[in-house]
Amino acid sequence: MNNKQIFIETKEYKRFAEFCDACIKYQYIGICYGLPGVGKTLSARQYAQWDYVEKQIDYETSACMGAYADEKILDCHTLFYTAPPVSAAKLTSTIHIMGVRFHTVKDAYRVRIGEKELNTSSALEGIRLIIVDEIDRLKLQHLEQLRDIYDQHDLAMILIGMPGIEKRLARYPQLYSRIGFAHEFQKLSNDEMHHILEYKWEELGISIKREDFSDYEALTSIIKVTNGNFRLIHRLFTQIERILEINHLTLITTEVVEAARNSLVIGRI
């Protein structure tokens, strides 16, 4: 079975990308909030191309610096930072180190293809956007550090958190006065659910037939169980794949869906 995950550009992702573009254009701080599992983090990492960038800047020695980079690195201008679950005392230095490594990899690639290094003087020079995820974890002093980074550099910033974070940030006028846009990340619509589930069927090497009542029944059951929650869809299909393999099955039925559901711990979503 094919385990490769395909990123699907949903309508909500496109709205998020437009939100990011607007923040960059006007160099604003933006707030993005939504329920757990609707796709905020996944969309942010996709916009920043972070799965690619993170591999490039996570080098251990100078010999590895930029060794696996290609021309794509030169088009990347966004940093993605996840607020730690414990003390964020080194927040500013961590973000600056990420910026330094980002530029170092770009310069290493430029040298490799015969171009001149830019040797930027600032760690965040050329960075157009910083996305900070799990903003709910941060205390006032850490938010002040983010405001200071924003004030000192010509860039945009997006803060991602849970519903209600916009009200909490409103209590900090120095930061809140710099917020230009807010975006609520919605759960998937039924049409998008059908579209995504067709991809999930294909990832398992199974063709879906909507006119087949068994397929239709299984599809309807998954939509009911996941209720438009992006993360829950992926978790459920991980269990579905496991059940199909263990039982040597080639069809997704309501019985398979129910067995997969019973394997999950599904809280409030």
Side-chain angles (χ1 to χ4, degrees):
M1 292 187 179
N2 182 15
N3 292 318
K4 185 179 180 181
Q5 295 291 326
I6 302 171
F7 182 83
I8 303 168
E9 290 197 4
T10 63
K11 181 171 64 177
E12 196 57 36
Y13 170 75
K14 291 177 181 177
R15 288 182 62 225
F16 175 77
E18 290 171 358
F19 166 68
C20 293
D21 291 343
C23 288
I24 290 173
K25 179 178 180 180
Y26 297 103
Q27 291 187 341
Y28 281 161
I29 294 179
I31 305 174
C32 174
Y33 57 93
L35 294 171
V38 291
K40 303 184 299 295
T41 299
L42 189 64
S43 293
R45 290 181 66 92
Q46 175 69 15
Y47 184 86
Q49 301 183 67
W50 202 246
D51 286 348
Y52 169 77
V53 172
E54 193 171 32
K55 292 177 183 176
Q56 313 305 324
I57 66 175
D58 192 27
Y59 54 84
E60 294 183 2
T61 65
S62 58
C64 298
M65 193 171 57
Y68 306 106
D70 54 27
E71 67 278 359
K72 184 178 177 181
I73 193 68
L74 301 180
D75 295 324
C76 297
H77 303 283
T78 298
L79 294 182
F80 176 84
Y81 173 74
T82 302
V86 290
S87 174
K90 298 181 179 179
L91 183 151
T92 299
S93 61
T94 299
I95 290 177
H96 276 81
I97 289 170
M98 288 169 63
V100 169
R101 283 176 163 254
F102 204 178
H103 290 311
T104 302
V105 169
K106 285 190 174 186
D107 276 344
Y109 174 70
R110 289 188 180 98
V111 170
R112 186 147 55 87
I113 62 175
E115 292 186 3
K116 184 180 178 181
E117 296 177 73
L118 294 185
N119 291 319
T120 51
S121 58
S122 167
L124 299 180
E125 186 177 336
I127 299 297
R128 299 170 64 191
L129 174 66
I130 298 176
I131 300 176
V132 184
D133 197 13
E134 304 285 1
I135 198 73
D136 313 77
R137 296 172 172 174
L138 299 180
K139 297 179 180 179
L140 175 59
Q141 62 266 36
H142 307 133
L143 296 174
E144 283 295 318
Q145 290 180 55
L146 291 176
R147 181 182 66 83
D148 190 53
I149 291 172
Y150 172 76
D151 286 347
Q152 291 186 32
H153 303 277
D154 295 326
L155 48 73
M157 189 175 288
I158 289 176
L159 312 177
I160 299 178
M162 296 283 286
I165 189 64
E166 72 283 7
K167 297 176 183 176
R168 178 190 163 199
L169 293 178
R171 300 201 297 266
Y172 311 132
Q174 282 189 306
L175 176 66
Y176 200 71
S177 63
R178 290 159 172 78
I179 294 173
F181 299 114
H183 173 72
E184 182 177 5
F185 211 104
Q186 304 284 347
K187 65 181 183 180
L188 297 166
S189 67
N190 278 353
D191 286 343
E192 288 183 308
M193 287 280 288
H194 280 90
H195 181 63
I196 287 171
L197 292 179
E198 286 184 8
Y199 272 100
K200 301 304 289 185
W201 249 261
E202 288 176 9
E203 283 183 349
L204 296 178
I206 303 172
S207 60
I208 186 170
K209 301 180 181 67
R210 289 177 181 249
E211 66 277 8
D212 187 314
F213 183 74
S214 295
D215 283 357
Y216 173 79
E217 193 177 33
L219 204 137
T220 303
S221 178
I222 292 171
I223 290 174
K224 183 178 179 181
V225 169
T226 57
N227 191 30
N229 188 284
F230 207 91
R231 183 185 301 154
L232 193 51
I233 291 172
H234 287 290
R235 289 175 56 204
L236 185 67
F237 265 85
T238 298
Q239 294 301 323
I240 287 174
E241 181 175 14
R242 183 180 67 85
I243 290 166
L244 292 176
E245 288 179 345
I246 290 173
N247 296 283
H248 307 289
L249 300 173
T250 57
L251 294 174
I252 300 175
T253 63
T254 51
E255 290 78 15
V256 170
V257 174
E258 188 61 26
R261 182 188 186 282
N262 291 336
S263 301
L264 296 177
V265 178
I266 302 177
R268 293 184 63 187
I269 56 173

